[in-house]
Amino acid sequence: MGENGKITVFLLDDHEVVRRGVHEMLSMEPDIEVVGEAGTAAEALVRIPATHPDVALLDVRLPDGSGVEVCREIRSRDESLKCLMLTSFADDEALFDAIMAGASGYVLKAIRGNDLLSAVRDVAAGKSLLDPVTTQQVLERLRHGGGRPDDRLAHLTDQERRILDLIGEGLTNRAIGERLHLAEKTIKNYVSSLLAKLGMERRSQAAAYVARLQAEKPQR
């Protein structure tokens, strides 16, 4: 809570119109105060630690990355910070990534104003908006994936599979970018996504995982 007892909120969305609308709606509430906003992941990673909000309302899709990565990064520095993901559409991967990043929940941009206010208050109070049944299914999927490595690969896109193989070869993000003709920052985003889907935190774990998969392949 802020010094005045209000719930402090930080907004991250690359659309100014969306930010302004949400900002105005939240600011009309006597118990909520918007302490900062950003339009890119890079800005958010600088401004969120500086403003120490109770709740960070993070857009999932950003021009320079994803709100999921921002959530993972800022919560690695301060676990008391609550993250509420904001996304345009519901899908299992968004939920999976949100859970893996430690988010308290995620809401659709089509949400009604009163429901968003309730979500912010609930998250600030330490509640989780992630449906327990769905969360359990995702975690079960992850656990089973640990027993059968190939299961987890099914959740990767073709591009993520290619990048995973190159990580296994020991290539850096820059080298992978050169190989695939993509920007290094783009590769970094892909790596963050595939690590989340595999339930891993470091690329060294991914490299070891690839090595294990290759060792388990039947010899011809």
Side-chain angles (χ1 to χ4, degrees):
M1 298 287 176
E3 294 180 2
N4 52 12
K6 293 185 178 183
I7 297 168
T8 54
V9 178
F10 189 98
L11 303 176
L12 169 60
D13 195 296
D14 61 324
H15 295 101
E16 183 184 355
V17 173
V18 174
R19 284 204 314 275
R20 186 175 296 177
V22 174
H23 189 144
E24 289 180 3
M25 181 178 63
L26 293 176
S27 297
M28 290 174 65
E29 299 301 303
D31 60 331
I32 298 175
E33 178 184 4
V34 178
V35 293
E37 56 181 71
T40 66
E43 288 175 349
L45 289 173
V46 172
R47 295 178 184 172
I48 291 177
T51 54
H52 298 293
D54 297 312
V55 178
L57 189 57
L58 309 174
D59 188 8
V60 170
R61 296 182 183 277
L62 299 166
D64 64 334
S66 115
V68 172
E69 295 165 21
V70 173
C71 173
R72 187 181 298 115
E73 177 65 26
I74 60 179
R75 279 186 51 79
S76 71
R77 304 180 201 172
D78 181 5
E79 287 192 354
S80 68
L81 195 153
K82 308 294 192 303
C83 293
L84 182 58
M85 312 309 299
L86 194 59
T87 182
S88 299
F89 53 90
D91 64 73
D92 283 347
E93 294 305 335
L95 176 60
F96 181 79
D97 290 347
I99 292 172
M100 294 307 302
S104 297
Y106 84 107
V107 295
L108 297 177
K109 288 188 177 180
I111 190 173
R112 294 167 60 92
N114 286 339
D115 291 336
L116 179 59
L117 293 172
S118 296
V120 169
R121 292 185 177 109
D122 285 346
V123 167
K127 297 178 183 177
S128 173
L129 300 185
L130 295 167
D131 175 65
V133 175
T134 309
T135 302
Q136 190 62 32
Q137 289 173 347
V138 171
L139 296 179
E140 282 293 328
R141 188 172 85 188
L142 179 61
R143 270 196 289 271
H144 288 318
R148 299 193 303 275
D150 288 340
D151 282 3
R152 287 188 285 182
L153 292 179
H155 303 299
L156 301 186
T157 64
D158 290 343
Q159 187 74 295
E160 287 169 345
R161 287 285 299 270
R162 280 191 286 271
I163 291 172
L164 177 61
D165 287 339
L166 294 174
I167 289 175
E169 292 179 22
L171 271 64
T172 63
N173 286 352
R174 177 174 295 181
I176 293 173
E178 291 173 354
R179 180 81 65 90
L180 300 179
H181 307 292
L182 293 171
E184 184 177 355
K185 187 172 291 185
T186 302
I187 298 301
K188 183 179 178 183
N189 292 340
Y190 273 119
V191 172
S192 295
S193 175
L194 71 86
L195 288 178
K197 291 177 182 179
L198 294 173
M200 299 173 184
E201 296 179 356
R202 295 179 297 278
R203 61 189 298 131
S204 58
Q205 292 174 291
Y209 174 70
V210 174
R212 190 169 73 249
L213 285 179
Q214 293 174 342
E216 290 174 356
K217 283 183 180 177
Q219 300 297 317
R220 293 181 179 177

